[in-house]
Amino acid sequence: MSQETPSYGGQAVIEGVMFGGKHINVTAVRRKNQEITFLEVPRSDKSWVVKLRKIPLLRGLVSIIDSSAKGSKHLNYSAESYAEDSAEPEDLAKQQEKAKKKEEGWSLGMIFGVAVMGILSFLFGKLIFTLVPVFVETFLFKDAFDNYILHNLVEGGIKLILLLVYLWAISQTPVVKRLFQYHGAEHKVISAFEAGEELTVANVQKYSRLHYRCGSSFMMLTIILGVIIYSVFPWDSLVERVVQRIVLLPVVIGISFEVLKGTNAVRDIPGLKYLGYPGLWLQLLTTKEPKDEMVEVSIASFNRMRELDAAIEAGAYSEASVSGGILDPAKG
């Protein structure tokens, strides 16, 4: 019998996995010496953020921006661990000293700066991905037909092609391929947990690397729903079309988030489960089958997150932030 699934979310990072629980975000990274180290950061959501997360349509944009901001520190931790393990012995001491000074000097302003960069990176990337297809479609098909809805459909097709080509191209690089393998491991762990399985490597590996609540599914929905939403509002010029896309972008993101939640809610209903299939198909590119050691890291991150979540709820854990915990792989 499946367990009730809390609002846990995962994210693949370089050589590791980050899971976000109700109270804490935990990143687990496999080091070169085979130890698994953790970065543990309480969520500490502001009251106004919690309130905004409950408002339909608006909560999608808030959740994505919030995730981009918080994910930056976890990505930095993972990248720094990877760089440290890849460094030559003579450079390692310098890197460790630099990292120590950085941690000691980590101020509210620095945290805010990293968060802002994470948010701006997401918004800039989304804006570019939204506008480039508009200019390409206008250049290639400006005089092909007069119906603006047909132009919107072609624009959506161009956007989908660009997304698929981009994902395929980056997946050919060794680093991104491993990132996508960890992405697959994260999905497998969540699926195994939802099914009520004991989280062992053998059990987790039985499950699909595809999952309905994935950000990849969200990307596909923004393309499909974008065509529909943009077609409600006619335009007469390129400038009007561009302005319209910018103004409606938050609307597309908000509605796509709600539809993603909806498709996940009805995935076990015969016939309705197919609504989430376009997103699952895209995950064939954004996830890869993980190795056993990757699944082990994902399990470690998920278990540590649940352990700390439970401790916080029981009042046994109250530190503002903890990093550097080590799991002995031999003990599990």
Side-chain angles (χ1 to χ4, degrees):
M1 183 175 179
S2 297
Q3 301 180 37
E4 181 181 355
T5 308
S7 56
Y8 295 145
Q11 176 181 327
V13 292
I14 300 173
E15 295 299 329
V17 174
M18 186 272 280
F19 277 103
K22 291 179 288 185
H23 304 290
I24 197 162
N25 296 327
V26 176
T27 293
V29 175
R30 170 84 69 180
R31 305 302 295 267
K32 191 174 183 179
N33 62 4
Q34 298 307 304
E35 289 178 330
I36 297 177
T37 61
F38 299 100
L39 174 67
E40 303 154 357
V41 182
R43 297 185 65 163
S44 302
D45 288 334
K46 301 294 183 182
S47 59
W48 60 272
V49 174
V50 175
K51 292 178 181 178
L52 290 177
R53 284 180 181 274
K54 297 178 181 179
I55 302 176
L57 296 182
L58 186 57
R59 61 188 174 189
L61 187 61
V62 172
S63 295
I64 292 169
I65 291 178
D66 189 48
S67 296
S68 299
K70 291 180 177 178
S72 297
K73 185 172 183 180
H74 291 267
L75 184 61
N76 286 344
Y77 170 74
S78 179
E80 288 169 0
S81 298
Y82 179 79
E84 184 178 295
D85 286 344
S86 302
E88 295 296 330
E90 57 269 21
D91 296 328
L92 185 57
K94 295 180 180 180
Q95 288 192 10
Q96 289 176 338
E97 182 63 25
K98 183 178 179 181
K100 182 179 179 181
K101 290 181 179 179
K102 180 179 179 181
E103 187 65 28
E104 291 173 348
W106 194 267
S107 63
L108 180 61
M110 292 176 66
I111 294 173
F112 178 76
V114 170
V116 168
M117 286 303 298
I119 293 172
L120 291 179
S121 296
F122 165 76
L123 293 178
F124 181 75
K126 188 61 183 171
L127 194 61
I128 292 297
F129 183 68
T130 298
L131 296 183
V132 167
V134 172
F135 292 111
V136 172
E137 196 280 334
T138 301
F139 177 76
L140 295 177
F141 302 97
K142 180 179 180 180
D143 300 319
F145 28 78
D146 296 327
N147 191 316
Y148 78 94
I149 294 180
L150 289 179
H151 280 288
N152 290 345
L153 287 171
V154 174
E155 175 191 332
I158 292 173
K159 187 179 297 183
L160 179 59
I161 291 172
L162 289 176
L163 176 63
L164 295 178
V165 170
Y166 170 74
L167 290 175
W168 175 84
I170 64 174
S171 69
Q172 303 308 302
T173 64
V175 171
V176 175
K177 182 179 179 180
R178 287 185 65 81
L179 180 70
F180 286 174
Q181 285 179 293
Y182 275 109
H183 190 188
E186 169 241 315
H187 284 178
K188 284 173 175 276
V189 167
I190 293 178
S191 295
F193 174 78
E194 290 175 337
E197 288 269 19
E198 179 185 1
L199 296 184
T200 65
V201 172
N203 286 343
V204 169
Q205 284 284 34
K206 294 185 301 183
Y207 288 84
S208 172
R209 73 180 197 265
L210 312 181
H211 198 281
Y212 273 79
R213 288 198 312 273
C214 177
S216 302
S217 298
F218 174 79
M219 286 191 293
M220 180 64 81
L221 282 172
T222 59
I223 294 176
I224 297 173
L225 295 175
V227 172
I228 298 173
I229 294 170
Y230 296 147
S231 295
V232 176
F233 303 92
W235 43 266
D236 297 317
S237 66
L238 176 60
V239 173
E240 186 177 345
R241 188 177 182 182
V242 169
V243 171
Q244 184 189 98
R245 296 300 184 268
I246 296 173
V247 172
L248 290 176
L249 182 56
V251 178
V252 173
I253 291 175
I255 293 178
S256 297
F257 185 84
E258 298 301 325
V259 172
L260 180 62
K261 289 175 66 70
T263 57
N264 182 65
V266 301
R267 62 179 175 169
D268 295 324
I269 301 177
L272 296 182
K273 66 178 182 180
Y274 299 108
L275 293 174
Y277 273 32
L280 295 178
W281 293 334
L282 186 60
Q283 290 177 45
L284 294 174
L285 282 176
T286 62
T287 66
K288 301 292 182 184
E289 284 295 330
K291 298 178 181 178
D292 286 351
E293 56 266 28
M294 296 175 175
V295 171
E296 184 182 25
V297 173
S298 190
I299 293 173
S301 178
F302 188 78
N303 284 341
R304 183 62 175 162
M305 176 270 296
R306 293 191 65 221
E307 174 190 339
L308 293 177
D309 257 357
I312 291 172
E313 291 190 346
Y317 182 88
S318 59
E319 294 183 40
S321 177
V322 176
S323 63
I326 297 177
L327 171 73
D328 185 346
K331 296 179 181 178

